[in-house]
Amino acid sequence: MAPDETMTNVDETILFIDYSRCIGCESCESACRFIHGQARINMTRTVGGIMAPVYCRHCEAAACIKACPRGALQKGADGAVLLNPVLCAGCETKSCILACPFGGIFCTGLEDAVAKCDLCQRRRSVGMAPACVEMCPCGAMHLVTRREALALATPEYEAAHRKVMEHVRPVLAPLKRRDQE
Amino acid sequence: MPEPSATPMNFAFAGPGPARANGRSVAVIGAGPSGLAAAGFLACLGYRVDVYDKLPKPGGLMVFGIPAERIPAGRIAQGVETLANHYGVSFHPCTKVCDRRQVDDTGDEFSTRCIDLDELVRGHDAVMLATGSWKPRRLNVPGEDLRGVYTGLAFLFPIRAAQYDRSRMSEINVAGKNVVVIGAGFSAIDVAHGALGQGAARVSMLYRRTRREAPCGSHEIELFEAAGGQWLELVTPVSILGEHGQVEGIECIQCHLGEPDEDGRRRAVPDSCAKMVLPADIVVGAIGETASPPFAERLGLESVRKNEIHWLQMTQMEGVFVAGDALSGPSKIGKAVYSGLRAAQSLSRWLTLKGINREFEYREEPPITREDLR
Ligand SMILES: Cc1cc2nc3c(=O)[nH]c(=O)nc-3n(C[C@H](O)[C@H](O)[C@H](O)COP(=O)(O)OP(=O)(O)OC[C@H]3O[C@@H](n4cnc5c(N)ncnc54)[C@H](O)[C@@H]3O)c2cc1C
């Protein structure tokens, strides 16, 4: 997530998981799978045995949107990165999965080529919170604005997040965005 | 710990709020994650739900097994309150659903009331059995019955339960003692940390494989070592030694790693010549629990596991469904939640179709596979 100084849309809503409070119990994945059929947040296990969910960060300048050859990924009004399954269906490139630095887009092996979080748009349109956030027994998951997320990124969070990211993205330095090269 | 902007726990997350009563009632046995998730889902659909649990508080192992630092008990309690206050779910604590033949499990100390399963079946349109897996697995070595030898849950449960009722429960005193923990799963690591936290002089963990194979992961072991614990690998207990009925040590044998087993983990092969004795005042065999639902045979749980029964997660007793660790054996909170939700969905379909004599329309549903339950 690493919200940086260039952040402009501080009021956009995102999902924030405090990895320092997450115990890797999989409740988020279960709730997501129950609601959406295909889980859009998935557990990973690091070499050291830490279990943690990986998920879409709804980036401001989302690499997946740029990478998608079909225009199937777009920003919604509140900043969420949304997938249009009709355009996506049957895509052979899976470029979005490769482009995402957080491992937040998932291959389904089904006709809808990929699955990704939409911050539970349908639920939120009727005033409900995302399913994962409501079922986290640890209170580690938050639906917040980018500004609020900054306040949640404690040193404990940063340390725990780094451990997960070293596994998801095993490189020494963060990947540069294509447009910055 | 401050909780900025945290969304409250909501076991009834499937719907936007309480539904109009549908006139049907369901009994949920066991208020662990699977039972609470099932209760929440059914409440969203307008069922009247009664939840029975033998313990004084709902939450199951989330409250009575897993250490409080990992799951804030207040968050679970508040999710339960929402079910009770907004969805009209009735909680019946300290009430054990019984089988006369059943032997006692960990946690029975608290139940003051016993209800027969048949009584619940008669009194409700359907029953959800979500009793978890509380029967300790034995080490099967001589000396296991000595004083000072405990199972993982028997050791952890009093630490949490004593907070609710001191007259019935007190912690096992480990202060200044030499504690040996056998195993390397969630409960083993929780026991080891628990013992360190309660002032044990020395805490050692014994595992027959290496830290690379440990189910709790090498990271947890590093944390345990950093907290002052001693990790011993490639050793397995062969007998527990003691005098006057009291444990004094544990005899172990050295192992090496052999061929992978069916789970793909390398097997521990004992080397018969290399024995050693570790002194111990307390030995905790935290090698897991097994499912012990009341009426296991009558319910035909083996057939449910093999999916031989027509309705997803229905038992051999018509209208009695089963979910969570009671069905799968020890798993994880998330797996138990998913299992509870799926079973509740199946239960509701069954009742609805039965009510209009259209059970034949039931769509065959893929069971939750072993792969899913990993
Ligand atoms: C020490 C320990 C640490 C763990 N750590 C983790 C972890 O970090 N992450 C993770 O995901 N999972 C962990 N687990 C596993 C997790 O706790 C379980 O998989 C999960 O709680 C199972 O949920 P359940 O609802 O099926 O059963 P349970 O949580 O066991 O709940 C069953 C409930 O049924 C009640 N009950 C039983 N029999 C009866 C009866 N006859 N009548 C009435 N009530 C009855 C019990 O009192 C209990 O409240 C841990 C388990 C242990 C033991």
Side-chain angles (χ1 to χ4, degrees):
Chain A
M1 121 135 268
D4 52 44
E5 314 75 49
T6 61
M7 202 163 74
T8 50
N9 300 315
V10 288
D11 295 320
E12 282 181 0
T13 304
I14 56 165
L15 187 63
F16 179 92
I17 303 182
D18 183 347
Y19 284 121
S20 68
R21 300 181 67 182
C22 170
I23 63 165
C25 77
E26 306 188 24
S27 295
C28 51
E29 183 184 315
S30 293
C32 184
R33 182 164 164 214
F34 186 69
I35 294 292
H36 300 295
Q38 185 84 42
R40 299 157 172 195
I41 178 167
N42 283 275
M43 302 306 293
T44 191
R45 187 180 202 266
T46 70
V47 180
I50 303 171
M51 294 284 292
V54 289
Y55 67 110
C56 172
R57 314 297 174 96
H58 299 278
C59 303
E60 283 199 89
C64 58
I65 296 182
K66 296 193 194 100
C68 175
R70 298 174 165 226
L73 287 160
Q74 275 174 325
K75 276 252 156 184
D78 66 350
V81 176
L82 301 176
L83 174 76
N84 180 340
V86 178
L87 295 182
C88 170
C91 175
E92 51 300 301
T93 71
K94 311 278 188 290
S95 300
C96 55
I97 296 179
L98 297 174
C100 176
F102 300 103
I105 303 187
F106 307 96
C107 191
T108 60
L110 305 171
E111 176 60 14
D112 305 348
V114 302
K116 82 170 288 304
C117 168
D118 68 353
L119 291 177
C120 280
Q121 296 284 314
R122 197 198 52 72
R123 289 172 61 87
R124 286 172 56 225
S125 72
V126 293
M128 296 159 75
C132 55
V133 174
E134 293 202 306
M135 276 305 277
C136 175
C138 303
M141 304 186 71
H142 306 269
L143 183 73
V144 287
T145 63
R146 289 189 202 284
R147 186 188 290 119
E148 290 168 322
L150 284 175
L152 291 170
T154 58
E156 295 78 39
Y157 160 78
E158 294 294 353
H161 182 242
R162 198 172 330 109
K163 287 215 178 73
V164 177
M165 280 305 121
E166 277 165 6
H167 173 74
V168 171
R169 189 173 55 193
V171 286
L172 293 177
L175 290 177
K176 273 193 176 168
R177 297 228 179 89
R178 284 238 185 94
D179 53 3
Q180 292 168 349
E181 271 167 7
Chain B
M1 208 183 279
E3 220 163 289
S5 66
T7 307
M9 184 89 203
N10 183 13
F11 293 105
F13 72 99
R20 201 153 41 90
N22 69 8
R24 295 202 170 95
S25 81
V26 177
V28 175
I29 312 171
S34 59
L36 291 173
F41 180 75
L42 294 168
C44 282
L45 293 176
Y47 287 89
R48 207 188 75 225
V49 184
D50 286 281
V51 182
Y52 300 87
D53 201 293
K54 65 181 181 184
L55 296 174
K57 284 227 180 264
L61 287 174
M62 292 193 291
V63 169
F64 288 97
I66 303 173
E69 312 84 77
R70 289 154 61 75
I71 297 187
R75 185 166 165 84
I76 306 300
Q78 164 260 315
V80 166
E81 249 162 63
T82 303
L83 282 184
N85 299 342
H86 296 292
Y87 290 83
V89 174
S90 310
F91 285 91
H92 308 270
C94 301
T95 306
K96 186 176 180 184
V97 177
C98 295
D99 176 352
R100 272 158 254 108
R101 288 163 298 179
Q102 197 184 4
V103 290
D104 292 352
D105 302 327
T106 309
D108 279 354
E109 300 81 350
F110 283 103
S111 34
T112 48
R113 214 155 72 93
C114 226
I115 297 195
D116 198 74
L117 180 63
D118 294 296
E119 195 184 319
L120 287 185
V121 172
R122 276 196 301 276
H124 296 84
D125 292 297
V127 172
M128 177 70 67
L129 190 87
T131 49
S133 104
W134 284 63
K135 195 187 214 58
R137 201 172 332 147
R138 291 176 62 85
L139 289 164
N140 282 325
V141 297
E144 195 165 3
D145 299 317
L146 289 168
R147 269 196 317 278
V149 182
Y150 302 92
T151 64
L153 207 48
F155 182 85
L156 286 170
F157 179 74
I159 298 182
R160 302 297 304 277
Q163 297 162 5
Y164 298 104
D165 192 346
R166 286 233 164 247
S167 65
R168 286 174 201 267
M169 222 358 108
S170 57
E171 294 103 337
I172 293 159
N173 180 17
V174 298
K177 292 188 179 159
N178 207 340
V179 181
V180 176
V181 184
I182 301 161
F186 284 130
S187 16
I189 202 86
D190 287 345
V191 168
H193 277 293
L196 282 173
Q198 310 253 332
R202 183 193 187 92
V203 181
S204 315
M205 289 183 79
L206 282 193
Y207 184 49
R208 62 202 161 120
R209 297 178 166 116
T210 75
R211 66 176 72 208
R212 284 192 54 211
E213 288 79 27
C216 65
S218 57
H219 176 69
E220 284 289 349
I221 295 162
E222 280 159 27
L223 294 180
F224 167 66
E225 286 174 324
Q230 184 190 27
W231 168 257
L232 297 168
E233 59 186 25
L234 291 171
V235 277
T236 196
V238 285
S239 69
I240 297 171
L241 313 171
E243 217 157 286
H244 313 299
Q246 175 70 38
V247 61
E248 291 189 331
I250 175 163
E251 186 178 27
C252 307
I253 193 166
Q254 192 78 40
C255 302
H256 67 267
L257 290 180
E259 293 301 308
D261 61 13
E262 56 279 10
D263 286 338
R265 284 188 308 167
R266 293 182 66 186
R267 231 181 273 275
V269 185
D271 301 324
S272 56
C273 46
K275 283 195 182 166
M276 61 174 168
V277 172
L278 292 170
D281 306 309
I282 288 180
V283 170
V284 186
I287 56 167
E289 277 74 30
T290 55
S292 63
F295 304 102
E297 293 134 65
R298 241 176 99 190
L299 295 170
L301 287 193
E302 240 352 275
S303 325
V304 186
R305 291 190 185 112
K306 293 191 200 130
N307 204 39
E308 286 167 356
I309 293 168
H310 188 53
W311 285 85
L312 183 78
Q313 286 173 253
M314 195 202 274
T315 64
Q316 262 167 22
M317 280 175 81
E318 191 175 74
V320 179
F321 291 74
V322 59
D325 285 8
L327 179 61
S328 64
S331 67
K332 296 190 73 178
I333 296 166
K335 313 268 191 217
V337 163
Y338 189 67
S339 173
L341 292 169
R342 287 287 301 271
Q345 208 170 36
S346 174
L347 178 155
S348 175
R349 276 191 194 138
W350 178 73
L351 275 181
T352 310
L353 288 176
K354 191 172 89 118
I356 49 179
N357 294 316
R358 279 165 47 183
E359 285 114 300
F360 58 87
E361 284 179 26
Y362 177 71
R363 266 182 301 117
E364 201 62 60
E365 271 189 275
I368 302 175
T369 61
R370 189 169 145 70
E371 196 56 19
D372 289 333
L373 287 177
R374 253 163 215 240

